């Protein structure tokens, strides 16, 4: 099975093509091609070219794909919307199903593939000195989250590893919750800061191989967008009865 995977829940613009097959015990995911650019302002400009470049490198056409997987967050409103809209439009154009997965789950799977074991917390940047985060048991099950809040307040008691955005990891390390937990948690941010295509496909592997009908895509925003429509402001009482074109009204 050939799967296109994309994610724009972090500053990284991520796209790639993976092959998914049944394994002896677990599904086997092989990355055929991937494109990643870290630029929070370029999701809209770069995602489609990244998709096309990945297909070209893998020697595939869109019609060769069997499914599309997209990270649905949590993440900032604008970037997340770009990835989901692009994935949905691409899947619709080629007549393939599109599966949404939690982006933090994809990041956790990437960390596991990189050798991270034990109790794991993954974090991504939510801006405002806050982090999106989730916690995973040693067997990979998500046991809490996704949630959003100040990075320094994320509990780390019993956690073996922290993975994700380097700035937020530093804030966790300097927080009182971390100090109260003993401060012995390993932080591993070397390149493992965003979900990769293989991690995203691994999260969706059971549904993909089982032929499960995908649920409608629902973004995990977790909070209201930063930009809101302006409120109507009532004119000052001092201006009542004044013609705004100049002079008092009769």
């Amino acid at each position: 099975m050939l799967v296109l995977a994309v994610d724009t829940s972090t500053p990284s613009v991520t796209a790639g093509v993976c092959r998914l097959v049944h394994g002896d015990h677990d599904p086997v995911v092989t990355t055929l091609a991937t494109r990643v650019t870290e630029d929070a302002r370029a999701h809209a400009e770069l995602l489609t070219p990244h998709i096309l470049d990945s297909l070209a490198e893998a020697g595939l056409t869109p019609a060769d794909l069997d499914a599309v997987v997209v990270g649905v967050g949590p993440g900032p409103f604008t970037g997340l919307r770009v990835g989901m809209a692009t994935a949905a439009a691409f899947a619709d154009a080629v007549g393939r199903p599109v599966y949404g997965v939690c982006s933090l789950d994809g990041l956790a799977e990437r960390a596991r593939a990189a050798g991270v074991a034990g109790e794991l917390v993954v974090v991504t940047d939510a801006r405002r000195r806050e982090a999106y985060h989730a916690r995973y048991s040693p067997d990979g099950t998500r046991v809490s989250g996704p949630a959003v809040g100040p990075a320094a307040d994320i509990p780390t008691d019993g956690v073996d590893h922290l993975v994700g955005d380097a700035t937020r990891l530093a804030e966790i390390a300097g927080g009182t919750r971390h100090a109260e937990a003993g401060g012995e948690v390993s932080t591993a941010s070397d390149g493992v800061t965003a979900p990769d295509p293989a991690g995203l496909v691994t999260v969706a592997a059971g549904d993909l191989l089982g032929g499960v009908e995908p649920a409608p895509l629902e973004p995990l925003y977790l909070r209201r967008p930063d930009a809101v429509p302006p409120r109507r402001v009532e004119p000052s009482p001092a201006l009542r009865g004044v013609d705004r074109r100049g002079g008092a009204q009769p």
Side-chain angles (χ1 to χ4, degrees), residues 3 27 49 51 84 92 101 104 106 114 139 146 148 151 156 158 163 184 194 197-198 200 211 220:
V3 184
I51 291 172
M84 295 180 64
D92 182 68
V101 299
L104 295 178
D139 67 1
V148 63
T156 59
V163 170
E184 298 297 329
L200 296 166
L220 294 173

Side-chain angles (χ1 to χ4, degrees), residues 141-178:
T141 302
R142 179 165 18 109
V143 295
S144 68
V148 63
D153 292 344
I154 296 174
T156 59
D157 52 301
V159 174
D160 298 301
H161 296 281
L162 296 165
V163 170
D165 182 83
T167 300
R168 300 300 167 234
L169 291 181
E171 292 171 356
I172 295 173
T176 56
R177 296 293 294 270
H178 186 62

Side-chain angles (χ1 to χ4, degrees), residues 176-217:
T176 56
R177 296 293 294 270
H178 186 62
E180 292 170 355
E184 298 297 329
V185 182
S186 170
T187 58
S189 61
D190 296 341
V192 186
T193 59
D196 64 354
L200 296 166
V201 173
T202 299
V203 175
D207 287 349
L208 289 165
L209 293 174
V212 175
E213 185 75 16
L217 294 181

